[in-house]
Amino acid sequence: MSTDGDVMTDGGRAQQREQTRRALIRESRRLFAALGYGAVGLSEIVRAAGVTKGALYHHFDGKAALFRAVLEEVQQQVARTVAAAAEAHDDPWTQFTAGCQAFLTASTDPDVQRIMLVDGPAVLGWNEWRALDEAASAHHLAEALTTLIEEGTIAPQPVAPLTRLLSGAMNEAALWLAGSADPGDLADTRAALSQMLEALHVG
């Protein structure tokens, strides 16, 4: 039987483990965003996080696993931004277009571009990256499109290919904007996205 002191000790250890994990993800994200996955070593990560390599391997089986956790965090952050933009509206069509625009804008953040769009597919492989993308954003995009088709706002059509076309277009636009030196390109791209989405609208 555990004593109260043992329970508190276990709780303290669990809290410390979580703090270590959070520190590793936080510092890895900062380094991966600034330097790119290939230029960051585990020694640099543990030094920045103030932990040992043993502590790192307690949570992650290597740099790729740590990067995967960072990527998941970035994707979830973008998904929350999209959801907040959509939920600010009541009309399903406006929710959809606001969410798409929010995704494009959020994806132009240099840290997000580097981790989610550039290094993500290269480090994890296309299939795993797509599975994570599906869980984070493509699933919600498909749900929104399904709702709009069911209510007649978008013409009846298969949802899966339309989801991939829109998702691919927005990801590609974000990558293009990453290499753009013209600050007006974001506004032009948002306008082009608006026109592309409006072409789907039949209501």
Side-chain angles (χ1 to χ4, degrees):
M1 180 181 294
S2 298
T3 66
D4 289 344
D6 289 332
V7 171
M8 290 183 66
T9 300
D10 290 343
R13 280 198 294 266
Q15 185 177 18
Q16 186 176 31
R17 284 194 297 270
E18 181 57 24
Q19 288 174 345
T20 297
R21 185 177 186 278
R22 294 305 312 158
L24 285 165
I25 292 175
R26 181 183 65 248
E27 294 304 320
S28 295
R29 176 173 176 169
R30 181 179 63 81
L31 291 167
F32 290 149
L35 305 173
Y37 177 85
V40 178
L42 288 179
S43 296
E44 192 172 2
I45 292 170
V46 297
R47 185 166 57 249
V51 302
T52 64
K53 278 193 177 180
L56 184 151
Y57 283 116
H58 177 77
H59 295 278
F60 305 100
D61 61 13
K63 191 170 74 163
L66 181 52
F67 177 83
R68 189 184 195 280
V70 169
L71 173 60
E72 286 182 316
E73 181 179 89
V74 170
Q75 289 179 320
Q76 289 164 7
Q77 174 191 316
V78 170
R80 286 193 298 270
T81 299
V82 170
E87 289 165 4
H89 304 276
D90 295 324
D91 171 61
W93 173 255
T94 309
Q95 289 179 337
F96 169 65
T97 56
C100 288
Q101 293 286 2
F103 175 83
L104 180 63
T105 301
S107 298
T108 59
D109 180 283
D111 293 2
V112 173
Q113 287 171 338
R114 166 85 79 164
I115 293 169
M116 189 172 80
L117 300 174
V118 177
D119 283 347
V123 174
L124 299 181
W126 188 247
N127 288 338
E128 185 173 1
W129 180 86
R130 281 194 58 191
L132 289 176
D133 183 60
E134 175 75 27
S137 60
H139 174 69
H140 299 293
L141 178 59
E143 286 184 339
L145 289 169
T146 298
T147 297
L148 292 168
I149 290 170
E150 287 175 347
E151 68 178 22
T153 305
I154 293 177
Q157 59 190 289
V159 170
L162 182 59
T163 300
R164 270 67 188 179
L165 284 167
L166 290 178
S167 179
M170 289 186 286
N171 283 340
E172 182 62 29
L175 280 171
W176 176 72
L177 286 168
S180 168
D182 186 342
D185 281 341
L186 175 57
D188 289 345
T189 305
R190 286 175 59 92
L193 175 60
S194 181
Q195 290 184 341
M196 184 174 74
L197 297 177
E198 195 60 39
L200 296 171
H201 192 282
V202 296

